[in-house]
């Protein structure tokens, strides 16, 4: 079982390496173009610390920033030789055996920092990170050539990029889930509950059909004509006045 798991993780790591060279990217700094006062690019670039993706939570952002800094110090912080960046990991690894063990412990410390994110690391991602540092440890055991290969492989930088990709995917999934819940709540509060049987304005709790404008208008006109033809009853005097007709034939109440 452990052998199958190791093979699966190894294939996944090799697939990531073939897909994109994540160990060549600086995990802590980025290069940005420099613009002049007229707003046009000058052709120069400057290095600045990478920003934390806004979609991440405050705690996960702090963990990612710490892991980036640790990976940069171990893999790229010291000097550049023949296009290869060297950090403390390569320098410590020059010491036979002891230096490689110390390098392994420092890389393990980076993985432990990754585990402090909200919810912890999934087991599959944790195994991939462990595979990276163990492969880096095995390469570093070869004298001198192993140290150069160690500087090229950069296990800590790989793990920092794996953590960043996982955090972004997790934050996007959580945001999508929150949006779906909000839409569901809006639909729930926006609908009226169905009427119970016998509670509605209809006879059996059924809604009364809507009345058209013409039916209401004709009914109001009929009642008006009926009142004009029957005259007006004076309640206070107890008398009835017959309707009087004008020259146009329209009925109106007589004056007392």
């Amino acid at each position: 079982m452990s052998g199958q798991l190791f093979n699966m993780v190894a294939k996944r790591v090799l697939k990531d390496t073939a897909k994109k060279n994540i160990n060549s990217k600086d995990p802590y700094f980025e290069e940005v173009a420099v613009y002049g006062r007229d707003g046009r690019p000058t052709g120069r670039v400057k290095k600045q610390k990478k920003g934390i993706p806004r979609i991440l939570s405050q705690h996960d952002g702090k963990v990612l920033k710490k892991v980036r800094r640790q990976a940069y110090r171990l893999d790229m912080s010291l000097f550049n030789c023949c296009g290869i960046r060297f950090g403390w990991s390569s320098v410590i690894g020059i010491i036979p055996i002891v230096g490689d063990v110390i390098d392994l412990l420092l890389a393990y410390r980076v993985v432990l920092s990754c585990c402090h994110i909200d919810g912890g690391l999934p087991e599959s991602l944790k195994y991939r990170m462990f595979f990276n540092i163990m492969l880096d440890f095995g390469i570093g055991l070869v004298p001198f050539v192993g140290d150069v290969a160690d500087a090229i492989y950069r296990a800590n930088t790989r793990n920092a990029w794996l953590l960043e990709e996982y955090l972004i995917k997790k934050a996007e999934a959580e945001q999508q889930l929150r949006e779906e819940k909000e839409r569901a709540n809006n639909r729930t509060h926006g609908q009226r509950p169905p009427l119970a049987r016998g509670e509605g304005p209809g006879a059996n709790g059924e809604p009364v059909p809507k009345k058209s404008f013409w039916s209401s208008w004709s009914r109001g006109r009929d009642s008006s004509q009926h009142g004009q033809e029957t005259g007006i009853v004076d309640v206070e005097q107890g008398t009835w006045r017959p309707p009087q007709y004008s020259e146009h034939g329209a009925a109106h109440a007589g004056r007392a």
Side-chain angles (χ1 to χ4, degrees), residues 60-195:
D60 287 348
K62 290 182 179 180
V63 174
L64 178 60
K65 185 177 180 179
K66 180 180 179 181
V67 171
R68 283 177 176 177
R69 182 171 60 250
Q70 291 175 335
Y72 175 78
R73 289 176 178 175
L74 291 175
D75 292 345
M76 300 182 178
S77 61
L78 294 182
F79 57 90
N80 189 336
C81 180
C82 300
I84 302 175
R85 299 290 302 274
F86 290 84
W88 286 105
S89 178
S90 301
V91 174
I92 294 174
I94 296 177
I95 306 174
I97 308 298
V98 177
D100 296 321
V101 173
I102 295 175
D103 183 23
L104 177 64
L105 295 177
L106 293 175
Y108 178 72
R109 183 185 175 187
V110 175
V111 177
L112 290 182
S113 298
C114 296
C115 295
H116 291 161
I117 62 174
D118 293 331
L121 283 178
E123 294 297 324
S124 58
L125 184 58
K126 193 182 299 184
Y127 289 145
R128 289 167 64 185
M129 291 183 176
F130 284 148
F131 178 85
N132 283 333
I133 63 177
M134 291 304 298
L135 182 60
D136 182 76
F137 174 74
I139 294 173
L141 292 177
V142 182
F144 185 70
V145 177
D147 298 326
V148 177
D150 184 14
I152 297 175
Y153 186 73
R154 295 171 183 163
N156 302 291
T157 301
R158 291 174 182 269
N159 291 341
W161 279 108
L162 288 176
L163 175 66
E164 182 171 351
E165 291 180 351
Y166 169 74
L167 289 177
I168 292 176
K169 291 180 180 179
K170 185 186 75 167
E172 290 177 348
E174 292 176 350
Q175 183 178 7
Q176 184 178 2
L177 183 60
R178 287 194 299 268
E179 291 177 354
E180 291 178 355
K181 288 183 178 179
E182 289 179 359
R183 287 194 295 267
N185 291 334
N186 292 336
R187 288 194 300 267
T188 302
H189 294 299
Q191 293 179 353
R192 295 181 179 179
L195 296 173

